Amino acid sequence: MSYSKNKGLEIKGVTVEYPGGQCALGHIDLCLPEHSIYTVIGPSGCGKSTLLRSIAGLICSYTGDILFNGLSLREQGTALIGLVPQNYGLLPWKTVQSNIRMAMKISDSGRQTKQQQEQQIINWLAAMGIAELAQRYPLSLSGGQQQRVALARAFAILPEIMLLDEPFSALDAITREEIQTLFLENWISHPTTALFVTHDVEEAILLGEKIVIMSSNKEESPVIMDNPVFHITHEDKRDSDEFFQQSKRIRKVMQEKW
Ligand SMILES: Nc1ncnc2c1ncn2[C@@H]1O[C@H](COP(=O)(O)OP(=O)(O)OP(=O)(O)O)[C@@H](O)[C@H]1O
Ligand SMILES: [Mg+2]
């Protein structure tokens, strides 16, 4: 990959409390070099979605700092962020095509002509294998199809940071494997700085350059694990000895931290 890895995304001592003082996210320090992809796993309620929502600017009341290439993300417009939320975040009254078009309009700021945008929409829907769904409304789609639309939309805006909150959770095992491959291929050709939350240990190993393992105890810092499996050819990953060893290492940490 010919991209330089700048400072990227820096999460410095971030904690989140909801009104009433309930701690939603303990103290997090994490650095994600530009154009890298880290996966995040952790028990339900440990604050994974809260972390993504804070980076995306949907929660502003966090303490600490979140920077991208040295600039605070608290300032509007510091970086273009694509979020695939846990519930897909599609507008039900807009067609699939219009959902993507709208996100592009908001984020594009005149970089592409209308015609180029329309072509991009077609390309991304095709890349996700859902070209025929362009005119449909989200509520007429299966959960898995909605997840693909949300992914197409996130890629289509060519974000500098991509945040994915369990984007493949509604997919059956076979479709999930297909779309993991598709996602990785697209990410390799458009390598944004990405944080990918998943419940699935296997998925965390298949997709992350590093794996962030959060703890149920919010006082404890996450464990950040190198992942030698990432650099193996994708179709060989599952059968590799490294994969097996990595699963064992992660399960050991989970037994201690969850
Ligand atoms: N709007 C809210 N008001 C108060 N507490 C909240 C709110 N949203 C989330 N929380 C709490 O913050 C904590 C972290 O929630 P979060 O959704 O980030 O967890 P998560 O790790 O994403 O869980 P899951 O794996 O189930 O998606 C939980 O204890 C949750 O109950
Ligand atoms: Mg969540």
Side-chain angles (χ1 to χ4, degrees):
M1 218 174 290
S2 62
Y3 286 83
S4 69
K5 297 207 170 189
N6 283 328
K7 260 185 173 174
L9 183 63
E10 295 174 276
I11 297 159
K12 294 185 168 177
V14 167
T15 62
V16 177
E17 275 184 11
Y18 280 105
Q22 187 206 3
C23 177
L25 178 66
H27 188 97
I28 297 263
D29 281 302
L30 179 66
C31 281
L32 213 75
E34 199 176 12
H35 306 127
S36 55
I37 177 167
Y38 287 11
T39 43
V40 181
I41 53 176
S44 186
C46 74
K48 302 179 296 296
S49 298
T50 303
L51 174 64
L52 295 196
R53 289 165 60 78
S54 303
I55 300 168
L58 300 174
I59 295 173
C60 302
S61 58
Y62 56 83
T63 58
D65 251 327
I66 306 179
L67 311 171
F68 187 65
N69 288 343
L71 299 175
S72 170
L73 285 182
R74 283 186 199 273
E75 312 301 323
Q76 290 256 315
T78 306
L80 183 54
I81 300 179
L83 172 69
V84 181
Q86 211 163 354
N87 57 2
Y88 327 127
L90 302 171
L91 302 173
W93 60 89
K94 296 240 173 227
T95 62
V96 164
Q97 205 172 20
S98 313
N99 261 280
I100 301 176
R101 188 181 293 128
M102 219 177 99
M104 289 174 91
K105 259 194 200 149
I106 293 169
S107 58
D108 182 78
S109 63
R111 280 181 300 172
Q112 300 187 86
T113 64
K114 216 173 157 197
Q115 213 172 10
Q116 284 170 327
Q117 281 189 359
E118 293 304 310
Q119 191 55 49
Q120 285 298 321
I121 295 173
I122 293 169
N123 293 350
W124 282 111
L125 287 175
M128 295 300 149
I130 48 169
E132 73 286 0
L133 302 181
Q135 303 302 333
R136 297 265 294 271
Y137 286 88
L139 294 180
S140 76
L141 304 178
S142 71
Q145 289 168 332
Q146 290 185 55
Q147 283 189 326
R148 287 170 191 241
V149 177
L151 262 189
R153 184 179 59 176
F155 273 113
I157 65 169
L158 299 175
E160 292 164 280
I161 301 171
M162 194 182 271
L163 305 169
L164 303 114
D165 203 349
E166 305 192 29
F168 306 150
S169 55
L171 305 176
D172 62 82
I174 300 291
T175 314
R176 191 175 180 132
E177 279 183 29
E178 269 171 32
I179 204 150
Q180 281 168 346
T181 307
L182 198 67
F183 168 76
L184 208 53
E185 283 170 0
N186 280 296
W187 179 79
I188 287 168
S189 51
H190 300 87
T192 61
T193 308
L195 256 190
F196 187 116
V197 169
T198 175
H199 259 118
D200 187 87
V201 173
E202 192 170 288
E203 186 163 87
I205 301 173
L206 293 172
L207 300 182
E209 282 176 90
K210 292 198 186 196
I211 301 165
V212 181
I213 309 172
M214 291 173 71
S215 166
S216 56
N217 178 355
K218 292 183 177 150
E219 309 278 301
E220 278 185 29
S221 301
V223 172
I224 301 167
M225 211 180 245
D226 287 335
N227 185 26
V229 179
F230 185 77
H231 299 287
I232 299 173
T233 311
H234 190 66
E235 48 279 21
D236 299 333
K237 283 178 184 167
R238 274 193 187 80
D239 298 326
S240 66
D241 190 46
E242 286 90 338
F243 185 88
F244 177 68
Q245 297 301 337
Q246 187 70 322
S247 309
K248 275 206 323 204
R249 278 194 288 270
I250 291 179
R251 286 185 203 287
K252 190 157 177 278
V253 176
M254 285 165 72
Q255 276 159 10
E256 287 163 12
K257 303 268 178 189
W258 289 32

